[in-house]
């Protein structure tokens, strides 16, 4: 169906349809209903989640007050607006962490130490604002309405790379051990003995999944050169396979919990 055909059927301009398709325009709920009806059964089957997105899109996300800071420089899994919106709406998350703990698993002191190291020239009030932002992100783990299901594979190197000092690392380990009791969180450790895997070369990445539409799963990769979102056939399945590979080679959840307890005990009181 051409832009002209769609616009004629909806009695609107072609530019409006184009803006909606390219994400430059915000659809009203009536637009969503009319378009799904026009596009047929496959689209109508997604009507309810699309209407929900339209309703939520009309509201400002809680994260928007932090956007100026998030767009100033790249941060570890703190992409401005789009990533946080996806994370808030996702049903599940699969992540491989070879450099630092994922933001959803970081204790407050670890967050502060990490941001202080990554952003040494930022004033302390900005650092504190970003700490606050990341702590608010973590609410997806314990929200009453369908908490985010998270499966993390953490490379052993993350535990060996000190952030802050030993006291910070102890607090972080205690935090991870406490989080392990959450039914919606699975943590696995990938030991050095697992060898070099394809994911090791890929670096830190995650896959976000949405139960209401499997074909909208998204891979998110962030570095100091910018952020990347992969969708559809553009690499999503490749990253899913890489995650399954590291998951299979990692210690099991119970073994990982015991590993973290031994690691915690290795620190001098």
């Amino acid at each position: 169906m051409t832009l002209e055909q769609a616009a004629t059927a909806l009695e609107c301009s072609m530019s409006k349809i184009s803006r909606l398709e390219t994400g430059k325009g915000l659809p009203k709920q009536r637009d969503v209903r009319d378009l799904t009806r026009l596009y047929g059964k496959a689209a109508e089957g997604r009507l309810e989640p699309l209407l929900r997105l339209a309703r939520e899109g009309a509201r400002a996300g809680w994260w928007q007050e932090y956007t100026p800071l998030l767009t100033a420089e790249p941060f570890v899994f703190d992409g401005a607006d789009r990533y946080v919106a996806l994370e808030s709406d996702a049903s599940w998350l699969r992540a491989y962490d070879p450099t630092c703990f994922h933001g959803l698993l970081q204790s407050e002191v670890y967050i502060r130490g990490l941001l202080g190291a990554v952003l040494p020239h930022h004033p302390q009030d900005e650092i504190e604002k970003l700490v606050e932002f990341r702590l608010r992100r973590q609410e997806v783990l314990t929200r009453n309405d369908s908490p985010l299901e998270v499966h993390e594979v953490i490379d052993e190197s993350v535990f060996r790379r000190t952030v802050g000092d030993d006291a910070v690392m102890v607090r972080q380990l205690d935090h991870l051990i406490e989080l392990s009791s959450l039914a919606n969180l699975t943590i696995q450790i990938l030991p050095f003995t697992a060898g070099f895997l394809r994911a090791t070369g890929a670096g830190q990445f995650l896959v976000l999944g949405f139960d209401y539409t499997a074909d909208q799963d998204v891979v998110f990769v962030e570095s100091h050169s910018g952020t990347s979102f992969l969708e559809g056939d553009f690499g999503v399945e490749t990253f899913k396979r890489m995650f399954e590979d590291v998951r299979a080679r990692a210690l099991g959840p119970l073994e990982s919990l015991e590993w973290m307890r031994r690691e915690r005990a290795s620190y001098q009181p």
Side-chain angles (χ1 to χ4, degrees):
M1 184 176 293
T2 65
L3 284 175
E4 183 177 7
Q5 289 171 326
T8 299
L10 265 66
E11 298 182 348
C12 66
S13 66
M14 287 190 290
S15 63
K16 175 178 179 176
I17 301 296
S18 178
R19 288 196 305 273
L20 294 179
E21 290 186 348
T22 57
K24 296 177 181 177
L26 187 65
K28 297 179 180 178
Q29 292 190 62
R30 179 178 177 180
D31 296 328
V32 173
R33 287 194 180 91
D34 290 346
L35 285 167
T36 53
R37 189 177 301 116
L38 174 65
Y39 294 154
K41 289 184 178 180
E44 286 186 288
R46 301 180 182 178
L47 178 58
E48 286 307 315
L50 288 172
L51 286 174
R52 177 166 58 82
L53 290 173
R55 286 193 299 271
E56 293 175 353
R59 301 195 303 267
W62 63 263
W63 53 86
Q64 291 189 354
E65 64 178 286
Y66 302 94
T67 298
L69 285 175
L70 297 176
T71 54
E73 292 188 44
F75 303 95
V76 180
F77 292 133
D78 279 348
D81 279 13
R82 187 182 180 194
Y83 173 73
V84 189
L86 288 169
E87 185 181 73
S88 297
D89 197 46
S91 304
W92 54 263
L93 181 154
R94 308 284 183 265
Y96 171 57
D97 304 325
T99 55
C100 67
F101 298 105
H102 187 277
L104 295 181
L105 304 186
Q106 293 172 8
S107 66
E108 183 173 343
V109 291
Y110 186 93
I111 297 170
R112 190 171 287 110
L114 182 65
L115 292 176
V118 174
L119 305 170
H121 304 301
H122 280 236
Q124 192 60 36
D125 63 325
E126 289 188 3
I127 296 295
E128 291 304 317
K129 194 70 174 175
L130 291 167
V131 171
E132 175 187 302
F133 166 75
R134 193 166 293 190
L135 290 173
R136 288 190 67 179
R137 270 183 53 207
Q138 294 177 1
E139 293 174 6
V140 296
L141 290 173
T142 55
R143 64 192 177 195
N144 293 327
D145 182 21
S146 302
L148 182 66
E149 180 199 330
V150 175
H151 194 151
E152 295 272 349
V153 176
I154 307 171
D155 196 275
E156 182 178 346
S157 60
V158 178
F159 295 87
R160 306 294 173 226
R161 186 173 293 106
T162 301
V163 169
D165 54 23
D166 284 358
V168 171
M169 296 304 289
V170 166
R171 292 277 295 278
Q172 177 60 32
L173 280 161
D174 287 340
H175 185 63
L176 287 175
I177 292 168
E178 182 180 353
L179 286 178
S180 296
S181 64
L182 293 176
N184 56 304
L185 174 62
T186 301
I187 297 175
Q188 291 184 254
I189 310 300
L190 184 70
F192 289 144
T193 54
F196 189 89
L197 306 178
R198 185 179 182 184
T200 311
Q204 199 146 343
F205 68 86
L206 62 82
V207 184
L208 290 164
F210 305 85
D211 285 347
Y212 56 81
T213 171
D215 62 357
Q216 285 190 355
D217 294 351
V218 177
V219 170
F220 180 65
V221 181
E222 185 178 45
S223 69
H224 281 281
S225 61
T227 59
S228 298
F229 291 91
L230 305 176
E231 302 176 70
D233 296 328
F234 298 100
V236 174
E237 292 303 319
T238 297
F239 278 89
K240 284 183 177 179
R241 286 194 295 271
M242 283 196 292
F243 178 81
E244 286 303 312
D245 184 33
V246 294
R247 181 197 62 75
R249 299 284 290 275
L251 302 177
L254 291 178
E255 289 178 287
S256 297
L257 179 58
E258 288 305 311
W259 189 96
M260 289 189 289
R261 285 172 173 160
R262 289 195 300 272
E263 186 70 15
R264 169 64 176 84
S266 69
Y267 283 89
Q268 295 297 320

